[in-house]
Amino acid sequence: MQNAPVLIEANILKRRDVASLQVVENAFSDGSVAEALRRAPDIERRRGLSKETFDREYRHRQRPVILEGYAADWPAVRHWSFEHLARRCGATPVVVNSYSSQRSVQASFSEFVDMLMNNEGPGATPIYLQEWYYQASCPELAEDMPELDIAQYDFRRDLYGEVISTNHQLWLGQRGGVTRLHQDSYTIDVMHVQLVGEKHWTVMGPQAMLPETETGDADLQALADDPAAQLMQCTLTPGDVLYLPALWFHRIKLLSNSIGLGRKCLDQANLQTHIRQRMAELLALALNPEEVKLTHPELFNVVMMRNRVWAKRMGIDLSKLRP
Ligand SMILES: O=C(O)CCC(=O)C(=O)O
């Protein structure tokens, strides 16, 4: 039997191989996309927005917005610094630079802060503690970051329970640190609270597309010229809350040493897509025949059949998963 051809993602922004990641990252330094981004409009900033107005004008219309100073009175915004957190969580183990296979290291939180404070000099690559699920190892920090009323629409509470819907992440990094352009998985909204320092966000709408030219290069001009890409930008300062609707691409660059709280919200309007994506992932695992044969030797045929029926009921196209 012939193997089915491997499907190559047409949109380079969505590819996850090292070469494509580099092409996309380079596009932010120079060339037509970098130029278009310099001229890109700012995300709207609104002060004193009520929950009702936020829902009506932004969430239900899937428009990004910054709720300026919405978290300004949080203890985390008023009192936190890297040293403050090192005093409270110094012994906690963390994985620094976890987004880079070559640079990731295990350290205590105090060691991380020492590394960050002493990482200087021309060739120094900025240090970043990305996506730290602090609730598992330093849960007392949560009391400094009260729940946001505007984020209570998170449907994951109903689906998966309280623990998941309050499982937020801290992003702590050094000036110059970057989180590459990406979309969050499972059609989940971003609600990011800036606690310390400043960071610059570049965002693109869900339709943003970086195609290949006929010669197989990235067609950066096509992305730069396409109004559907909805290029926008903003700088978050302490107390700001950024709402970014599901599937918007985002890239972050730290303008100073910075601490931010990343929290996610599932809008009930995206429930079906969310469930489909989660199931597709499960199915991709389940339909990896080699692995399923090893892990479920007696149940192999039953598992295959159940997953095929399930996929059909949910409208999941298995041909996109694996040959
Ligand atoms: O702040 C960062 O570096 C990345 C944050 C992010 O991607 C998010 O909150 O979804």
Side-chain angles (χ1 to χ4, degrees):
M1 204 176 78
Q2 257 194 332
N3 282 342
V6 177
L7 292 173
I8 298 190
E9 169 60 59
N11 187 353
I12 301 175
L13 298 178
K14 294 188 181 185
R15 290 188 193 159
R16 286 287 159 256
D17 62 285
V18 176
S20 304
L21 290 175
Q22 205 50 56
V23 165
V24 173
E25 186 52 30
N26 291 346
F28 287 90
S29 314
D30 54 18
S32 41
V33 171
E35 184 48 38
L37 287 169
R38 267 190 284 281
R39 286 181 277 105
D42 290 335
I43 296 178
E44 225 180 310
R45 299 184 76 88
R46 296 284 303 264
R47 188 165 269 275
L49 206 59
S50 69
K51 181 180 167 308
E52 291 68 32
T53 314
F54 165 70
D55 281 344
R56 192 178 58 247
E57 293 186 18
Y58 298 96
R59 181 161 76 87
H60 295 157
R61 293 161 73 183
Q62 299 282 283
R63 289 170 60 202
V65 66
I66 297 164
L67 293 102
E68 195 171 74
Y70 205 78
D73 61 354
W74 280 17
V77 174
R78 291 175 31 225
H79 306 305
W80 280 17
S81 63
F82 285 85
E83 295 80 0
H84 171 98
L85 293 181
R87 281 195 294 278
R88 288 173 69 179
C89 308
T92 304
V94 291
V95 181
V96 184
N97 299 327
S98 59
Y99 279 21
S100 156
S101 54
Q102 275 127 44
R103 295 175 47 238
S104 115
V105 288
Q106 307 227 357
S108 68
F109 191 89
S110 288
E111 286 165 343
F112 154 65
V113 174
D114 281 348
M115 281 157 63
L116 185 141
M117 295 301 169
N118 297 307
N119 184 40
E120 287 166 356
T125 310
I127 289 173
Y128 208 165
L129 172 51
Q130 282 157 307
E131 220 178 341
W132 178 37
Y133 285 90
Y134 66 91
Q135 302 246 14
S137 50
C138 209
E140 60 273 27
L141 297 182
E143 68 201 29
D144 289 358
M145 298 173 283
E147 275 298 307
L148 289 165
D149 62 342
I150 48 154
Q152 296 312 306
Y153 67 88
D154 184 9
F155 201 75
R156 292 177 311 161
R157 182 172 289 121
D158 303 71
L159 267 186
Y160 308 121
E162 184 74 14
V163 174
I164 297 265
S165 74
T166 54
N167 194 15
H168 313 316
Q169 328 95 41
L170 285 168
W171 299 74
L172 307 100
Q174 188 179 9
R175 177 171 190 259
V178 166
T179 298
R180 288 173 187 272
L181 189 79
H182 65 282
Q183 286 174 303
D184 283 10
S185 313
Y186 313 129
T187 324
I188 300 239
D189 300 343
V190 170
M191 192 79 78
H192 197 96
V193 188
Q194 186 66 22
L195 304 173
V196 173
E198 296 193 351
K199 57 188 170 191
H200 183 256
W201 286 60
T202 307
V203 308
M204 302 181 191
Q207 307 308 326
M209 167 81 187
L210 178 55
E212 281 183 355
T213 62
E214 276 172 14
T215 53
D217 297 319
D219 193 347
L220 297 169
Q221 195 66 51
L223 175 62
D225 291 345
D226 184 1
Q230 294 183 271
L231 304 183
M232 283 194 248
Q233 58 183 321
C234 68
T235 295
L236 294 187
T237 60
D240 287 345
V241 178
L242 169 67
Y243 161 73
L244 196 61
L247 299 177
W248 277 67
F249 292 90
H250 44 292
R251 176 191 185 261
I252 291 87
K253 179 157 189 181
L254 307 192
L255 303 180
S256 63
N257 292 350
S258 156
I259 305 178
L261 176 74
R263 47 162 312 149
K264 310 289 164 190
C265 292
L266 172 60
D267 198 314
Q268 197 175 353
N270 292 324
L271 189 56
Q272 193 182 45
T273 324
H274 171 82
I275 298 281
R276 279 198 182 153
Q277 286 173 341
R278 292 226 83 132
M279 299 321 301
E281 203 173 85
L282 275 180
L283 290 166
L285 277 176
L287 294 174
N288 177 339
E290 298 80 19
E291 198 168 318
V292 180
K293 261 186 198 150
L294 282 175
T295 54
H296 299 75
E298 315 85 3
L299 283 176
F300 177 71
N301 289 335
V302 177
V303 170
M304 293 297 277
M305 187 195 59
R306 275 198 197 141
N307 278 315
R308 289 217 165 93
V309 173
W310 205 356
K312 199 167 169 204
R313 282 206 188 131
M314 297 188 73
I316 294 167
D317 182 1
L318 290 182
S319 67
K320 295 222 169 76
L321 298 179
R322 279 183 71 88

